[in-house]
């Protein structure tokens, strides 16, 4: 069989017409010695060979290509009333996937046999046929093989252990894939290769890891066959309605108590906090009490108290600490928390005067300072899911400019305290007709989510289909993997003078479409997230949705990154979260349906850079080379008696594994670059006309072109550096660049990808970071003329499903060094 073909060993029914080896039920005692054992062994060898041949022939006829070493799933059945034989050889990777017993008492099961170990099984069957124990004279491996009635090629149903019927062909739904933990990375790679949607969260058990996949039956068959990871398949996953339906609602306390018993909290977690600016927190909740200490609850007005008067803050807290509880309550493993919670009551309770809009910036600034004064040595990620309805657009407001200034660290350059602030994008109005989603671009990001330095969270959804029987005839407003029907966008904003918003999208829930009115309906249980409530004595679990939920999830990811490495700058945490993001298959199809970068940029203003992934942010995969730099740069310089001028560009020598990339030749690789920094804002009268008037300075990146010498590259960067406006002056466009030079406009977070063949990338081993114009250059303040900016640069090579381990071959153990620091 030619190399490079995928051997699909999990077969969908109509693809093959296999022979049946089913025998009438009978009780047989096989002789210890003699011809019967030899004949039985010969039959099992034929069965095993035919099972392998059937699947090989199937794949050759289908012309499905795959690089790797997949194996065979083989069914077996024993004689009645015999114990399940041990057919696992762990050291050889031969494992038992599923097992059971028929109504007639026959033990049945499916084993996974790596292709390279087929001969091992044949050898053991030969020994069973010919070798005898010297002591007893009994056949070798008798306990493994004597009771087996047949081997045969497995089908997809062989791994199906759910009492509910396996989904019909062509119908997409959620599947539970129960995998061997040591093969989970391979499973994820294969799933992404066939463009299916992986669910958020996994369940971890001692010998299984459960991954949720939204796919049809044929997609699942392809993933299972090529990943050597799946042991069992079940239907769907629990949704919030499981815990809120009439029966389970009365047992919510039991679920919460069981979760509390599984809490494992780090002793040193108090060094990092996720800090919520909201309606307060009810720390009487059993899951929140260990996370929020009384001294970490604050209020901008002491008369307001610190308890949650509304519910929103407690609901945000559960998501920021634990994520969607739907993914947590059903698992059995420990529930960890590596950081604590802080709360600042930003909104007044009933009976107090509402905060005046002109005071939003001042009140928020005061709120941010309170926990820092109380515990100045603690690192924080701030979370604010409060927006100003009917105030939108890219023009700076006092509120958004205050957030930019707070992120930058203040207005004293000698004493800056940078902050990462996560803000919600705002929500579409309730009760819209579903056809109004076609005009989503009219619903703009709300104030203050357009602030440059904050990380703005929009929403997408993996919720669906609707589980409740009373709503099953309703459709979902958004498809799985698409933008949530709650999320606002910035597509209507002028290109070049406004930042990309939202930068990231996270789970925000879905809506149902009322078949009678066509209106979209919120709050359907199975389309919502599950979190901690404000009423723990009554019902401790609550439904939650919209971009508030997305923002809480994002802030929790940021705190987790800081807890893992407290030396990361806020700029770096923001960059890592964005760099880890991937577009869902639905988003990818939209993005790459056009080759026009202006259209891609428009889509980027709807779903940003995709869905962040904490695992990718925490560590690079074995086939992904990740480089991270935290550096300072002085964009401008003003010498005595001279006018300010541009000062520096940083050039990085990228240590590509050049030989390995050349070996990969035409194989597509993806180079992703993220540049994150904070600007000092200047919301002056002319700032809306030019980003250079709002930002202290801008930074850009560019990659050396193929066949471009280093000296020519540096000369080209010198020509680009110092531009006041956003339109690049590059004479030729870089063909491998996905979003293009014009996608890097306003804002202080820039991302782009190069998708090209490996040989092309091997020659592009240098990247430049250089400044463009800003108000620091024209300021009369000498300190700002010579001001220092910090930035985080993250670069990843993703070679996809290839054998070369690019990371090991680079022999890089920590970061990258600046090769040159040249004056402009």
């Amino acid at each position: 069989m030619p190399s490079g073909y995928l051997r699909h060993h999990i077969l969908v029914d109509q693809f093959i017409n296999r022979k049946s080896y089913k025998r009438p039920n009978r009780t047989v005692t096989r002789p210890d010695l003699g011809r019967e054992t030899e004949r039985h062994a010969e039959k099992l060898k034929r069965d095993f060979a035919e099972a392998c041949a059937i699947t090989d022939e199937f794949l050759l006829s289908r012309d499905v290509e795959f690089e790797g070493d997949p194996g065979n799933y083989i069914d077996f059945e024993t004689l009645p009333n015999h114990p399940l034989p041990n057919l696992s050889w762990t050291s050889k990777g031969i494992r038992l996937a599923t097992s059971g017993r028929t109504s007639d008492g026959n033990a049945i099961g499916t084993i996974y046999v790596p292709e390279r170990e087929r001969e091992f099984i044949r050898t053991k069957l030969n020994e069973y046929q010919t070798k005898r124990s010297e002591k007893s004279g009994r056949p070798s491996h008798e306990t493994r093989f004597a009771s087996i009635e047949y081997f045969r090629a497995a089908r997809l149903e062989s791994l199906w252990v759910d009492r509910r019927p396996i989904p019909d062909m062509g119908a997409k739904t959620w599947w539970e894939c129960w995998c061997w933990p040591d093969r989970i990375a391979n499973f994820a790679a294969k799933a992404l290769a066939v463009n299916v949607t992986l669910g958020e969260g996994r369940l971890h058990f001692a010998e299984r890891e459960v991954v949720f996949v939204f796919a049809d039956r044929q997609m699942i068959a392809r993933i299972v066959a090529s990943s050597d990871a799946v042991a069992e398949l079940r239907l769907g996953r629990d949704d919030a309605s499981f815990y809120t339906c009439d029966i389970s609602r009365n047992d919510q306390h039991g679920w919460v108590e069981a979760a509390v018993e599984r809490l494992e909290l780090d002793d040193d977690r108090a060094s990092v906090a996720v800090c919520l600016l909201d309606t307060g927190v009810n720390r009487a909740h059993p899951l929140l009490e260990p996370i929020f200490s009384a001294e970490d609850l604050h209020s901008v007005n002491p008369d307001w108290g610190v308890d949650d008067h509304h519910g929103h803050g407690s609901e945000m807290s559960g998501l920021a600490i634990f994520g969607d509880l739907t993914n947590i309550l059903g698992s059995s493993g420990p529930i960890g928390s590596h950081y604590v919670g802080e709360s600042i009551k930003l909104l007044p309770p009933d009976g107090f005067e509402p905060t005046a809009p002109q005071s939003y910036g001042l009140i928020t600034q005061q709120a941010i300072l309170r926990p820092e004064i109380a515990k100045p040595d603690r690192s924080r990620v701030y979370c604010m899911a409060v927006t100003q309805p009917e105030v939108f657009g890219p023009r700076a407001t006092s509120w958004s400019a205050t957030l930019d200034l707070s992120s930058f660290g203040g207005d004293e350059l000698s004493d800056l305290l940078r902050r990462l602030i996560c803000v919600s994008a705002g929500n579409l109005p309730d009760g819209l007709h579903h056809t109004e989603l076609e005009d989503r671009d009219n619903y703009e990001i709300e104030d203050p989510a357009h602030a440059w330095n904050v990380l703005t969270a929009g929403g997408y959804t993996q919720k669906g289909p609707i589980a409740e029987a009373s709503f099953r005839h309703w459709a979902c407003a958004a498809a799985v993997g698409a933008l949530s029907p709650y999320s606002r966008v910035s597509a209507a904003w002028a290109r070049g003078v406004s930042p990309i918003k939202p930068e990231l999208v996270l789970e925000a829930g879905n809506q149902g479409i009322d078949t009678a009115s066509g209106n979209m309906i919120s709050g359907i249980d199975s389309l919502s997230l599950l979190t901690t409530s404000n009423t723990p004595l009554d019902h401790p679990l609550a439904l939650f949705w919209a971009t508030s939920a997305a923002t809480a999830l994002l802030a929790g990811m940021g705190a987790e990154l800081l807890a893992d490495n407290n030396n990361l700058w806020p700029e770096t945490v923001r960059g890592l979260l964005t760099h880890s993001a991937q577009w869902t298959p639905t988003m990818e199809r939209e993005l790459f349906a056009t080759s026009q970068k202006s259209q891609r940029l428009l889509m980027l203003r709807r779903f940003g850079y995709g869905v962040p992934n904490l695992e990718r942010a925490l560590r690079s995969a074995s086939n992904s080379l990740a480089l991270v730099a935290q550096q300072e740069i002085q964009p401008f310089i003003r010498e005595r008696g001279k006018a300010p001028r541009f000062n520096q560009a940083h050039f990085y020598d990228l240590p590509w594994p050049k030989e390995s990339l050349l070996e990969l030749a035409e194989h597509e690789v993806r180079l992703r670059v993220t540049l994150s920094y904070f600007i000092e804002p200047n919301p002056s009268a002319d700032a809306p006309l030019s980003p250079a008037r709002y930002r202290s300075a801008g930074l850009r990146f560019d990659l050396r072109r193929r066949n471009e010498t280093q000296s020519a590259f540096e000369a080209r960067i010198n020509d680009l550096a110092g531009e006041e406006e956003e339109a690049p002056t590059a004479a030729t466009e870089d063909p491998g660049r996905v979003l293009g030079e014009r996608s890097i406009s306003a804002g202080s977070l820039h991302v782009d990808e190069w998708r090209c063949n490996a040989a092309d990338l091997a020659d592009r081993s240098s990247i430049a970071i250089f400044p463009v114009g800003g108000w620091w250059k024209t300021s009369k303040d000498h300190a700002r003329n010579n001001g220092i900016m910090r930035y985080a640069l993250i670069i990843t090579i993703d070679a996809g499903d290839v054998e070369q381990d690019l990371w090991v071959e680079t022999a890089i153990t920590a970061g990258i060094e600046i090769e040159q620091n040249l004056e402009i």
Side-chain angles (χ1 to χ4, degrees), residues 461 463-464 476-479 484-486 507-512 521-523 527-528:
T461 189
K463 301 293 184 181
C476 289
S484 168
Y486 295 104
E507 181 61 69
N510 207 339
Q511 292 178 299
I521 306 300
S522 301
L527 302 184
S528 304

Side-chain angles (χ1 to χ4, degrees), residues 5 21 100 114 158 176 405 424 427 542 622 634 638 647 683 775 792:
Y5 281 100
Y21 294 105
S158 302
E176 287 185 3
L405 187 62
S424 61
N427 304 316
S622 62
Q634 183 179 337
R638 182 174 184 178
N647 182 45
W775 67 268

Side-chain angles (χ1 to χ4, degrees), residues 526-596:
S526 61
L527 302 184
S528 304
L529 294 84
L530 192 69
T531 186
T532 51
S533 80
N534 188 37
T535 56
L537 296 179
D538 184 13
H539 296 295
L541 300 176
L543 299 173
F544 206 56
W545 55 84
T547 57
S548 291
T551 310
L553 295 173
L554 181 59
M557 286 185 179
E560 189 70 41
L561 274 176
L562 268 182
D564 184 71
N565 183 354
N566 211 347
N567 294 317
L568 295 176
W569 294 346
E571 301 96 318
T572 311
V573 174
R574 181 176 71 150
L576 285 169
L577 288 171
T578 308
H579 193 82
S580 76
Q582 291 182 339
W583 296 298
T584 67
T586 301
M587 297 172 190
E588 281 252 342
R589 284 192 294 271
E590 289 185 35
L591 197 64
F592 292 98
T594 176
S595 60
Q596 294 184 4

Side-chain angles (χ1 to χ4, degrees), residues 686-708:
D686 57 349
L689 303 178
S690 171
R693 293 296 302 141
Y694 183 73
R695 66 187 178 220
S696 46
L699 297 180
R700 300 289 181 266
F701 58 77
D702 204 354
L703 191 67
R704 196 172 91 183
R705 304 290 174 88
R706 191 177 186 189
N707 300 323
E708 184 178 36

Side-chain angles (χ1 to χ4, degrees), residues 438-650:
E438 298 174 5
D439 300 320
R440 184 195 293 269
D441 291 353
N442 295 327
Y443 298 98
E444 302 174 35
I445 300 282
E446 291 181 328
D447 180 41
H450 59 293
W452 285 30
N453 291 338
V454 305
L455 193 51
T456 303
Y460 90 118
T461 189
Q462 291 188 345
K463 301 293 184 181
I466 297 174
E468 291 89 337
S470 56
F471 296 121
R472 279 182 185 160
H473 59 291
W474 286 19
C476 289
V480 168
L483 206 60
S484 168
Y486 295 104
S487 192
R488 286 179 172 267
V489 300
S490 66
W493 295 357
R495 189 178 66 187
V497 297
S498 57
I500 301 292
K501 293 290 178 176
E503 293 95 346
L504 297 170
V505 290
L506 295 92
E507 181 61 69
N510 207 339
Q511 292 178 299
I513 301 176
D514 186 337
T515 51
S517 67
N519 290 340
M520 297 186 295
I521 306 300
S522 301
I524 295 177
D525 293 23
S526 61
L527 302 184
S528 304
L529 294 84
L530 192 69
T531 186
T532 51
S533 80
N534 188 37
T535 56
L537 296 179
D538 184 13
H539 296 295
L541 300 176
L543 299 173
F544 206 56
W545 55 84
T547 57
S548 291
T551 310
L553 295 173
L554 181 59
M557 286 185 179
E560 189 70 41
L561 274 176
L562 268 182
D564 184 71
N565 183 354
N566 211 347
N567 294 317
L568 295 176
W569 294 346
E571 301 96 318
T572 311
V573 174
R574 181 176 71 150
L576 285 169
L577 288 171
T578 308
H579 193 82
S580 76
Q582 291 182 339
W583 296 298
T584 67
T586 301
M587 297 172 190
E588 281 252 342
R589 284 192 294 271
E590 289 185 35
L591 197 64
F592 292 98
T594 176
S595 60
Q596 294 184 4
K597 291 183 172 61
S598 60
Q599 290 299 309
R600 290 180 182 173
L601 180 58
L602 186 67
M603 294 172 194
L604 218 64
R605 291 183 175 278
R606 296 169 184 153
F607 46 70
Y609 301 107
V611 184
N613 181 284
L614 183 59
E615 279 188 35
R616 283 195 297 270
L618 286 169
R619 65 188 62 84
S620 60
S622 62
N623 64 346
S624 178
L625 185 156
L627 306 170
V628 180
Q630 297 185 145
Q631 288 292 340
E632 294 182 339
I633 190 170
Q634 183 179 337
F636 315 115
I637 187 170
R638 182 174 184 178
E639 299 171 328
R640 185 181 298 273
K642 295 182 179 180
R645 61 180 175 83
F646 289 93
N647 182 45
Q648 293 178 322
H650 287 178

